[in-house]
Amino acid sequence: MSDKNDDAKAAVNQKGPEKAKEIEHFGGPIGLDIGTTNIVSARTRGSSVHITKQLNAFFTVPASKITGMTLLKNDVLYFSQGGSYYIIGNAADTFANTFNTDTRRPVESGLLSAKEDEALNVIQSIIKTLVPPPKNQGDLVCYSIPGDPIDTKISVLHHDTILKRTLQDMGYTAIAINEGFAVIMSELADESYTGIGISMGGGMCNVCFSYLSVPVFSYSIQKGGDYVDAMVGAAVGESQTRIKLIKEKELNLLKDPKNKIETSLSIYYEDLLETLILSIQRVVTTSESVPRLTKPISVVLSGGTAMPVGVREKFEKLLKANRLPLQFSSVRMAEDPLNTTAKGALQLAIAEEK
Amino acid sequence: MAIPILVFSTDKTRGKLFSRIIESNGFNAKLYNNSADLDYAVRTRRPHIIVFDARHCQPREFQLVESFPGRFPDAEIILITSAAELPSFISAGFKGENCFSDPINPEEISLKVKEIYFIKNKAFLRIKTYFVLLGVLLKGIFSGDRDNPYIVFTKKIILAGAAALSVMVGIAGGFIFYSMSDLPKVQLLESYAPFESSFLYAADGTELAEFYLERRKFVPFYKIPKHVKQAFIAVEDARFYEHHGIDFIRTFGAFVNNLRAGDTVQGGSTITQQLAKMLFLTPEKSLSRKIKEAAISMQIESRYKKDEILGFYLNQAYFGARAYGIEAASQTYFGKKTEDLGVADAAMLAALPKAPSVYSPFTNPKKALIRRNLSLKSMLDRGFIDRQAYAAAVKEPVPEYVNRKKYTAPYFVEYIRSAMEQKFGDRLYTAGFKIYTTLDLPLQKKAEKATADGRAAFAKAGLGDVEAALIAVDLKTGAIKAMVGGSNYQKSQFNKATQAARQTGSVFKPIVYLTAFKNGYSPDDMIDDMEVTYSSSDGRQQWTPHNYTRKYYGRVTLRTALSHSLNAATVALANIVGMDKVISTARTIGITSNIYPHLPAAIGVSEMTLLELTYAYTTFANGKSFIPMVYEKITDRYNIKVEDNAPKGVQTIDPANIAKMHDVLGAVVTEGTSVAAKSLNRTVYGKTGTTNDYKDAWFIGFDDNMTVGVWVGRDNNRPIGEGMSGSRAALPIWINFMKED
C-alpha cells in the first residue's frame, strides 16, 4: 500500500540515531490494526476517531555517517542494526521506489515473518511510532490478530503473544481482537453485532461470523492482495509493485478487462473471492455453533484488497451462487475500509474499558 | 433479575452464544464451562432455569445433569444436544418440550426461557409484563415484524390465554347449565301463597287466636302505601325500578367494598334477588345458588311488574319477633294494619329484614333508632320524603314491646286447635284458614267468672288448689258455647273439661233410669231401696251398695230414687234392667269412655269426661245425640268457605222418654239433692255427683237453652274437702253461671 500518512512523526527506537518528535497523546483506549501492509492506530478525540498509520515495512541501507545524517535531516524513521540502517514505516516505500526495488515486510501473510531476522524489532519500532507510552499504567490497547489459517497448521499464537508482550512491555493492558470481528464491531452495531465481517488485507483474508457480538467462528485464509499481485505479476511478467499500483488505481472488475494485466487481475480476484466463499461455506456447514437464523444477515467487506471497484459485486454474486445455511440481506463495503479494523479494535477497547 | 439463568457448555463459543441469547432477552446469564462449577452454582444459587449444552459432554457431566431433576425439582432444564442424542435424554426423564437439538435456534431458546421465566417468576401476575407484551405486540403489528420472537411469544400467550379462556368459559357454562338444570319454576308465583296464619274467631267475630308456622297475613301490593314501598326501596335497592333483576353497579360496588373491608360488609342483592332466594332457594352460600338466584331474578323480572315483585317481597320477608310479611310486622311492632303505617313506622320496618334481631326495637331500641333514622335519611336523600316529613319522622320514638295478644278461652282454643290439626294437618299453620267457632264470648266470660268465684269460695273456706271445669252446650245445635278447662292455662294445659276422665258418681245414674224408661218403666214405677248384697256370677265377689246417707227408704218411685240419688235403689234398678242395657244406652247417648260392665258402674265408678257427660245430658234434654260442635264454618285465605258445620244431632230418645227424663231430673231440683237451683226461679234439670271421699264433685244440668256441666276436683285426685259433694261444690258454680244477668 502506498498510502502515506504524515502524521507519523517519530520513531522511538533507542538503538539508532533518533529523529523523534513527541507523539500527540489523546489518552483513552487505543485500537491497533497490525496488518501485513499497514499498522493503523485509532483513538478517540472528542466525538471523532483519530487515525494514524505507518506502512508495515522496512528498507535497509548500509550504515554510514553521511547516510545517517541525511536520514536525520529528512526526518526519516530508522534504526541501526548490524551495520545497516533499518528505515521503517512510510519512508521505507520512498527508499524502495528510489532504488527501484520492493520494501521488506516484518509481517508476511498476516503473521510475523520468519524470514526477516529483525521483523520483531521493526514491528516494535513502528508500533512505538503510533502508540505513545500510556498515560496510566494498564491503559487499554486492543490489537488485531488474524484468525487461525483455515488451510494450514499454522497458529497465530506466536504472533499474538509477541504483540501482546510488546504492548504490555510498554505499560498497556493489551487485548486481542480478531480482524474479522473488528470489522463487525466497527460496522454492525446497528445489527446487534450479528453478521459476517471480512477483512481483506495484503497477506490474508480474515473472516468472522458473529451472533449478538459473540464470535461464533473466525478464521483466515492466507491469500490476500499480495497473493493476487504475486500471481498476476508472475503471469504477465511485471513487478508486484506495478501490479499493485494498477490494482489500486485502475482496476474495475465490473468492466471487461482492457489488457492482459486486468484480465489476469480479474482471474486471480475471482479465485480469491471463490476461495473465500468456499471457506465460509465449509466452516458454516461444519460448525456446531452456528445458530439457525430466521433473519438474513449482512456481510461487510473491508481492507485494501476489497477496495477495487467491483469486488463487492463479484463477492455478492458468488455468495448468492453458493448454497449456505444462512440468508444474507446485503453485502456491503465498510465505511472506511482501510481503517475499519483499527476502529473495530478501538470499539472493543472502549467496551472493555466500560 | 436476582437469580440468574445458569448456562453450561464445554464449548466456550457455544456457551457464550447461549449466554448472549439469554442476555439479549433481558435476563442475566451465568456461564459455566466445567461441571464442578455448575454443580456448586446450582446448589448455592438454586436457579429457576439451567441451560445445559450437552454437546461434547463427558459421562460425568451427563450424570450431573441427569441428577438435577431429582435434586432440584424446581429448576427447569433446557437441554441442547445433537438430534441423535435427543431421544435418549427425553427417555431419561427430561421434559421433551425443554429439549432442543442442534443447530442452535436462538428463537426457540429465547421463547422457552421466557416461557419458563414467565411462569416461574409469576411475571404473569405483574401488570408491567402485559404492558411490555402489548407494546411489543403493537410494535410488531405496525412494523409487520411477524417473526419477532416477542410477537411469537405474545401470540403463544394469547393463544394459551384464549385456550384457557375457552376451557374456563366451557367449565363455567357447564357449571351454569348444571346449576340451572333444577331451576324452580317462576310460574309458581302465579299461585303465590305464602305461609299464612290461620285465625280463630269467636261466634261474634272476635279474634281468639292465630295458628302459624310463619306468622303472616297476606296483604295485596295495591294496599301497601307508597311511602312504605319507598322506604324499602331506599334501604334495600335504590335502583329497583331501573334494573332487570340484577344491579351490576351495586354488585360491583359491594364487591369492591367487601374486598377492601376483607369481610362481607355490603350485600349486592336486589329486592328481586332476595325474593328469589326467599321463595325458591336454600340459604346456603354457594356459587351454584348465586347463579340460580340471578337466573330466577331475571325470570321474575320478565314476568311480573315491579310493584308486584315488591308486593311479593314485602309479604315474604321476615321482620323478627316471629312476624313474616309486612302485615304481621305492622301488627307486631305497631299494632296497625299495613295501610295505616306512617313514614317513621315504614322506615323502622324497612330497617329490619337485613338483621331482624340486631335492629329489633323491642330488644335493641338504640340500634333500632339509629338504623331507622338511617332509613329515613336514605328516603330523604332519594327524594321520597321532604325535609319536613323527615324532621317529623326522626322525632318519633321506636315502638316498645306490647303484649298485644290476649288469650281468651285458652282451653277452648287448644281443644279446637287439636281438632283442627287432626283435620288439616300442618296446613292449619300455613294455609290461612279462618275458623269461626261456636264460642259465645260473653258466656265464656261468665263461665270463667263462675268458676273463678267458685275457686275463690273454696279458697275462702281454706280449700286451696281446687280446680273447676265447665262446659256449656247449646241445646239446639250441640255447639259448645263456653268451656273452662282449668284455672290457669299457663300453669297447666291439661283440660279438665275434655281430657280429665274422672269417676262420675251419681251423674251417671240418669243413664240407668233412661235405660229403665226405654224398657217400659216410668218415673212413678216402684223400686226397692234397701241394703242388698250382690254376688258376682261366679259367687266369689260380693258387694253391698250403700246410700250416701246410709238411710234406706224401702219401696220408692224411680223419681224419688233418682232425685234423692239413692244408690241402693239405682243398683237394684240396674240389676233389673241389666248392666248391658245400661251400657248400651250410654253408648247411644255419646258416652265413649270405658264403662265397668258390672253393677257398681250404675252408681258411677267408671271414669268419664265432663265433655261426654254434658253431651249425654244434652241428649236427656232434647233426645238428640250430638258430636261436640266447636265451629260453624271455616274459610280459606281468600274467604272462600271450606266447610259449613251444620248441627248434626241424631234423635236417640223418643219424646216420651225425654219427658220421663225431664220428670226425674226436674225432681232432683225441685225435691232432691239440687234444690238450691230453685233459686234460679226457672225450670232447670240436672243431677249432682259425688265420688268417694269427695274427690270429684259434679253437677250437670240444663234449662231450655243449654246444657251446662260443672266438675270440681283436684289435679292430684285428692279429696276436695270434707262434705264437698256435688251439691255443695259444683252446683253453686252451675247456679252462678246459669243466673240471668
Side-chain angles (χ1 to χ4, degrees), chain B residues 314-599:
Chain B
L314 290 175
N315 274 295
Q316 193 63 31
Y318 177 59
F319 291 82
R322 305 176 75 187
Y324 289 81
I326 187 81
E327 181 69 12
S330 303
Q331 292 289 352
T332 301
Y333 291 105
F334 301 104
K336 296 177 183 175
K337 289 183 172 179
T338 305
E339 52 199 286
D340 299 327
L341 288 172
V343 169
D345 305 337
M348 182 70 256
L349 292 181
L352 287 171
K354 187 149 293 237
S357 58
V358 176
Y359 301 119
S360 167
F362 292 168
T363 54
N364 291 312
K366 281 183 184 172
K367 278 187 180 176
L369 182 68
I370 293 166
R371 184 78 182 164
R372 185 206 63 181
N373 290 347
L374 276 175
S375 302
L376 287 167
K377 184 74 171 45
S378 294
M379 291 176 78
L380 176 68
D381 291 346
R382 299 187 199 294
F384 293 152
I385 52 172
D386 58 24
R387 289 219 153 266
Q388 204 177 349
Y390 171 76
V394 290
K395 284 179 190 161
E396 288 190 33
V398 294
E400 288 177 10
Y401 177 73
V402 177
N403 187 357
R404 300 181 200 284
K405 284 287 161 195
K406 293 191 178 87
Y407 293 98
T408 310
Y411 291 98
F412 176 77
V413 168
E414 173 53 26
Y415 175 71
I416 199 165
R417 185 203 64 76
S418 174
M420 291 297 108
E421 193 179 79
Q422 281 185 8
K423 189 180 191 73
F424 296 117
D426 289 344
R427 287 177 61 220
L428 175 65
Y429 307 102
T430 61
F433 292 120
K434 294 181 182 74
I435 302 155
Y436 297 92
T437 71
T438 56
L439 192 83
D440 184 323
L441 263 186
L443 270 184
Q444 175 66 23
K445 282 175 184 162
K446 203 172 172 186
E448 286 173 3
K449 183 174 186 307
T451 51
D453 289 350
R455 286 196 308 277
F458 296 134
K460 203 172 177 183
L463 304 172
D465 293 333
V466 177
E467 288 289 337
L470 183 151
I471 287 178
V473 177
D474 188 285
L475 278 180
K476 292 188 184 73
T477 60
I480 294 176
K481 309 287 277 182
M483 179 188 282
V484 177
S487 59
N488 188 338
Y489 185 77
Q490 301 299 325
K491 195 173 160 190
S492 168
Q493 289 81 48
F494 187 69
N495 191 334
K496 269 68 78 172
T498 60
Q499 293 174 298
R502 299 286 191 139
Q503 283 194 345
T504 58
S506 298
V507 287
F508 184 83
K509 286 175 181 168
I511 297 170
V512 176
Y513 289 86
L514 176 60
T515 311
F517 298 148
K518 284 169 81 177
N519 285 277
Y521 287 81
S522 71
D524 292 320
D525 288 334
M526 304 301 283
I527 188 80
D528 287 331
D529 179 50
M530 60 185 66
E531 199 169 292
V532 178
T533 298
Y534 298 92
S535 299
S536 60
S537 55
D538 58 7
R540 287 186 182 177
Q541 289 182 330
Q542 292 186 326
W543 173 61
T544 307
H546 301 284
N547 284 345
Y548 176 67
T549 56
R550 299 278 169 170
K551 284 183 182 174
Y552 302 91
Y553 299 91
R555 294 287 282 178
V556 293
T557 62
L558 297 189
R559 182 183 303 108
T560 302
L562 182 66
S563 63
H564 290 83
S565 202
L566 302 175
N567 290 342
T570 302
V571 173
L573 185 63
N575 191 38
I576 293 165
V577 297
M579 271 313 290
D580 53 341
K581 286 183 179 169
V582 172
I583 291 169
S584 173
T585 301
R587 297 296 179 223
T588 311
I589 59 171
I591 300 295
T592 55
S593 296
N594 290 331
I595 303 171
Y596 185 62
H598 301 285
L599 286 174

Side-chain angles (χ1 to χ4, degrees), chain A residues 318-336:
Chain A
L318 287 168
L319 190 66
K320 285 179 178 171
N322 280 274
R323 283 193 170 186
L324 283 165
L326 295 170
Q327 291 176 290
F328 299 98
S329 57
S330 66
V331 175
R332 62 179 171 83
M333 286 301 295
E335 203 173 286
D336 182 9

